[in-house]
Amino acid sequence: MPRNSSRRSVLKAIGAAATVPGVVGTAAGRGNAPTPRYAAFNVVDLGTEQVQEPGDSQAEAAARVVQEVDPDVLVVNELANNVQEATVDDDVPTDRTNIEAFVENYLSDPQTPRLEGIDYEYTLQPDSNTGLLPEEDYDFNKDGEAGARPGDAFGFGFYPGQYAFGIASKYPVDEDAVRSFQEFLWADMPDNRIPLASDEDVVTEGDAIYLTETELDAFRLSSKTHVDVPFDVDGETVHGLFSHPTPTGFDAENNFNGRWNHDENRFWADYVAGAEYIYDDSGTEGGLDDDASYVLLGDMNAGPGDEPLNPAAKYFIDNSDFDSRSRPTSPGGAQRGNPYATAEFGGGETVDWVLPSPDLSLRGSSVVWPSSNANKRGLADDVAAASDHRLVWADIAARPGSSGGGRGRGNR
């Protein structure tokens, strides 16, 4: 599969126990080892020029937030893929990936005197569909100009790899077993919600977006990529399921992006249910085995009830294949009227997720969003400076005596 990964030497750096009440849990509170801490953080539009050299204020703020939490597995959404970017810009450095650079220049460097740096031995920077144009010119966004970024790329982006994501882990990655679904065609999902020009209820005038029969053969489901990364957690395999579906809205009639987001999120529900229609970029077919353990991580651009198709409720909250019984909250979100909020926009929306499979044990979770009157050591300032999203984390362990089997099957 096309990906950029690395293994680096371990620096014995363990993040200090965080002490922000109600916001970040302490390392001592995780219980008996191993209880990995998983985290998802959308650091909005974090570019190559910001992470490849130290000294960027947004990257420093984001690193401080991560160090407060000290996750074992971290996904950074909206981190540009510099290797892809370099295909259109010769000045972009490629000696190390952007996720490696972020670790080395920021995460491994203590951002406050009371914190310690974190080194991640394993990193992965998957290829992204953002800004990536098909070999043939298509007018996907129906603006009358075919083959033009950002609207005619597989995923919205002004250059290849913009808004991609990077993964960092203290646990080994089984690189030979990583599965990416970057090239999976939307039309190959049964009962998909593609607004097709030939459908009677689809608008094909004005600003409406839709697909033609010809475009079906090219348009990919994933606006960035969907990737399954198996981690070796002290001898047990836990699959990290990473993606960043397109945001809803930003289009007119037909609800194109809402439908697209719905099916991007539905993909993971089908995948963990073992759907046979799925194929990965190497041609291997099928979803996960029944006895697999997994954790879904990322900015899914979907919260319960915030969009008519409501994929978050259908595929995450009301789906017994994910454990959503104890959802993370924050004081800052509660002040916005939604304790589960993970982002500032929309008055406070829930769009970022860390969800385990039901055979795993959720020991604790939170959203790093202090209340407006709690700015201990400037954390609230750095939280706001890093992104309009908030870091979400969860401590997730294997249940004692669990073999990983016997999971229920929920809605697909």
Side-chain angles (χ1 to χ4, degrees), residues 63-77:
R64 187 265 173 94
V65 174
V66 174
Q67 287 174 0
E68 292 280 359
V69 176
D70 187 22
D72 299 293
V73 176
L74 168 71
V75 59
V76 181
N77 290 116

Side-chain angles (χ1 to χ4, degrees), residues 12 20 31 73 112 122 150 179 190 228 238 244 299 317 321 338 403:
K12 299 297 184 180
V20 183
V73 176
T112 72
Y122 305 92
R179 299 182 69 187
D228 171 357
V238 177
H244 184 188
D299 173 8
I317 302 300
D321 282 345
N338 178 11
S403 63

Side-chain angles (χ1 to χ4, degrees), residues 278-299:
I278 292 171
Y279 57 85
D280 62 29
D281 294 337
S282 68
T284 302
E285 298 180 348
L288 275 180
D289 294 334
D290 283 350
D291 60 352
S293 299
Y294 49 86
V295 179
L296 176 81
L297 300 101
D299 173 8

Side-chain angles (χ1 to χ4, degrees), residues 304 327 329-343 347-350 369:
R327 293 163 53 197
T329 62
S330 74
Q335 283 189 324
R336 292 291 188 104
N338 178 11
Y340 306 107
T342 67
E349 293 188 7
T350 305
W369 197 344

Side-chain angles (χ1 to χ4, degrees), residues 78-152:
E78 295 203 25
L79 175 65
N81 184 316
N82 58 307
V83 177
Q84 289 184 276
E85 184 182 359
T87 62
V88 296
D89 186 348
D90 293 337
D91 293 330
V92 172
T94 58
D95 291 343
R96 56 183 175 175
T97 63
N98 278 347
I99 185 62
E100 288 179 299
F102 185 51
V103 170
E104 294 170 4
N105 290 333
Y106 295 95
L107 293 180
S108 63
D109 182 31
Q111 296 299 317
T112 72
R114 55 173 286 275
L115 292 172
E116 295 185 26
I118 313 170
D119 183 74
Y120 291 98
E121 184 178 0
Y122 305 92
T123 63
L124 186 71
Q125 182 171 281
D127 285 350
S128 176
N129 281 327
T130 44
L132 186 64
L133 293 170
E135 292 183 0
E136 297 183 32
D137 289 343
Y138 294 95
D139 187 15
F140 288 144
N141 67 348
K142 306 300 180 290
D143 66 353
E145 182 181 0
R149 296 185 183 93
D152 296 329

